[in-house]
Amino acid sequence: MSDTIEKIKCLIIGSGPAGYTAAIYAARANMNPVLYQGMQPGGQLTTTNEVENFPGYVDGVTGPEMMIQLQQQAQRFGADVRDGWATKVDFSGDIHKVWINDKIELHCETVIISTGASAKYLGLESEQHYLKMGGGVSACAVCDGFFYRNQEVVIVGAGDSACEEAHYLSKLCSKVTMLVRSDKFRASKIMEARVRKTENISILMNHDTVEILGDGQVVNGVKAKNKTTGEIFDIPATGFFAAIGHKPNTDIFRDYLTLDETGYIINVPGTSKTNVEGVFVAGDAADHVYRQAITAAGTGCMAALDAERYLAAKESEVEEKVIS
């Protein structure tokens, strides 16, 4: 462990739209924010080739390009953006302690958590190949469905989110094939009924995804297996969507913050506040409903404003004690 302890007014853990937006607002409020980018600088959006639904980008923008611009904007106002990730925290006292890379100890007046969530994938080699290529694998129908208008796609999943995304895709695509890995849905009855009633959604129960097919650059099909009969066959498709859930990156906060059963941080409704005073949350670490860049940015703004007001209230308390 380091012999030196750095004192920080506002620490932002994680980057992405939430973290960088929080840094922009915190820097403009003279909070001298320090932002550690985390293990995936820029967050999930860095794996997205085209972002066309973020306001202000008339012709669209790549995810990595947007993250570079947001980082540069935060730095223009004085945000200290650093490499590294939080490996341990102690929120038990008035001083919020955070360790970076198990070496650097920080004592923070406020902490904004924007560690995000990681989409779950099947783990197939071909799936990861086309995900990295940006050639037809996605975990967000709302983000990427637009690119598959009037095309055939495959989606794997069995929960409410999978049904919701399949229904969303059905409005854009000519055909949606839904692969359910077991013999029943995990979704609510109303969501299951919705996809079953949609004419251009074909549901294959008890089917596994064997391989994502393509020409090396883009997807052109999915190899599936009927788990009951053992039959293996190809499904023509230009897109493959994984809708098997997300895992919030919140494990190190579990001993101090209130989390739901999945691991998302529970915030005070209408705010970014957590159950620990001076600790705030923004973006997908708390949001399991919308998970969009624009909503993450909005909560990043909220977190910075909440942190600013928290610090102002503490300063007022100190001044009152001095006067009295």
Side-chain angles (χ1 to χ4, degrees):
M1 300 295 290
S2 172
D3 294 331
T4 60
I5 295 173
E6 184 178 0
K7 295 183 179 180
I8 292 176
K9 180 179 281 190
C10 177
L11 174 68
I12 301 169
I13 305 175
S15 45
Y20 289 138
T21 301
I24 291 167
Y25 274 81
R28 286 171 59 86
N30 294 322
M31 294 166 65
N32 305 315
V34 173
L35 181 150
Y36 278 92
Q37 294 179 301
M39 297 185 71
Q40 187 178 16
Q44 288 188 81
L45 223 60
T46 57
T47 65
T48 303
N49 268 16
E50 293 293 334
V51 180
E52 294 193 332
N53 56 2
F54 198 97
Y57 290 95
V58 179
D59 299 317
V61 63
T62 68
E65 184 181 0
M66 178 193 280
M67 291 306 98
I68 290 171
Q69 291 175 356
L70 285 178
Q71 177 181 335
Q72 291 174 340
Q73 187 176 359
Q75 290 173 313
R76 181 164 74 89
F77 294 116
D80 185 352
V81 178
R82 303 177 181 177
D83 294 329
W85 56 89
T87 50
K88 178 184 173 183
V89 301
D90 182 352
F91 294 156
S92 60
D94 292 335
I95 299 298
H96 307 113
K97 300 177 182 178
V98 178
W99 284 264
I100 303 297
N101 298 352
D102 291 322
K103 296 178 180 179
I104 304 169
E105 184 175 349
L106 310 176
H107 286 189
C108 315
E109 294 182 54
T110 60
V111 176
I112 295 174
I113 298 167
S114 58
T115 49
S118 300
K120 296 178 182 178
Y121 291 94
L122 298 176
L124 300 172
E125 184 178 340
S126 55
E127 173 194 55
Q128 294 303 304
H129 170 78
Y130 288 106
L131 176 64
K132 292 174 183 176
M133 292 294 295
V137 172
S138 172
C140 181
V142 176
C143 309
D144 300 326
F146 179 82
F147 302 110
Y148 300 93
R149 286 177 302 171
N150 302 316
Q151 299 175 46
E152 296 185 10
V153 299
V154 171
I155 182 169
V156 60
D160 279 345
S161 294
C163 290
E164 186 174 337
E165 297 220 324
H167 190 256
Y168 178 85
L169 289 169
S170 72
K171 299 176 183 179
L172 300 170
C173 304
S174 58
K175 182 180 180 181
V176 179
T177 300
M178 194 171 187
L179 297 180
V180 179
R181 294 180 288 177
S182 66
D183 57 2
K184 60 183 178 179
F185 278 91
R186 289 185 292 104
S188 60
K189 295 298 182 182
I190 190 169
M191 292 302 295
E192 178 181 350
R194 182 177 297 173
V195 294
R196 288 192 180 279
K197 290 178 181 177
T198 305
E199 290 185 1
N200 63 334
I201 296 180
S202 173
I203 302 170
L204 300 180
M205 305 297 293
N206 220 26
H207 278 70
D208 275 338
T209 304
V210 177
E211 185 181 359
I212 311 303
L213 306 173
D215 62 4
Q217 298 294 318
V218 296
V219 171
N220 59 28
V222 174
K223 188 179 292 293
K225 178 181 180 180
N226 185 320
K227 295 168 67 174
T228 303
T229 66
E231 178 191 4
I232 296 176
F233 57 97
D234 296 346
I235 304 171
T238 54
F240 177 79
F241 290 83
I244 55 177
H246 288 72
K247 184 184 185 305
N249 304 317
T250 58
D251 287 349
I252 64 169
F253 310 114
R254 187 171 296 279
D255 292 339
Y256 303 97
L257 301 184
T258 303
L259 311 179
D260 69 11
E261 64 277 4
T262 312
Y264 289 95
I265 296 172
I266 297 177
N267 56 293
V268 177
T271 77
S272 66
K273 299 175 184 177
T274 69
N275 59 294
V276 175
E277 286 195 6
V279 178
F280 309 89
V281 61
D284 288 9
D287 176 16
H288 56 83
V289 178
Y290 301 104
R291 294 197 296 260
Q292 299 299 301
I294 189 65
T295 52
T299 56
C301 164
M302 291 170 61
L305 294 177
D306 284 342
E308 179 188 5
R309 291 164 184 164
Y310 169 81
L311 289 173
K314 285 193 68 176
E315 290 172 5
S316 295
E317 289 177 7
V318 172
E319 290 175 0
E320 288 176 5
K321 288 180 180 179
V322 171
I323 293 174
S324 59

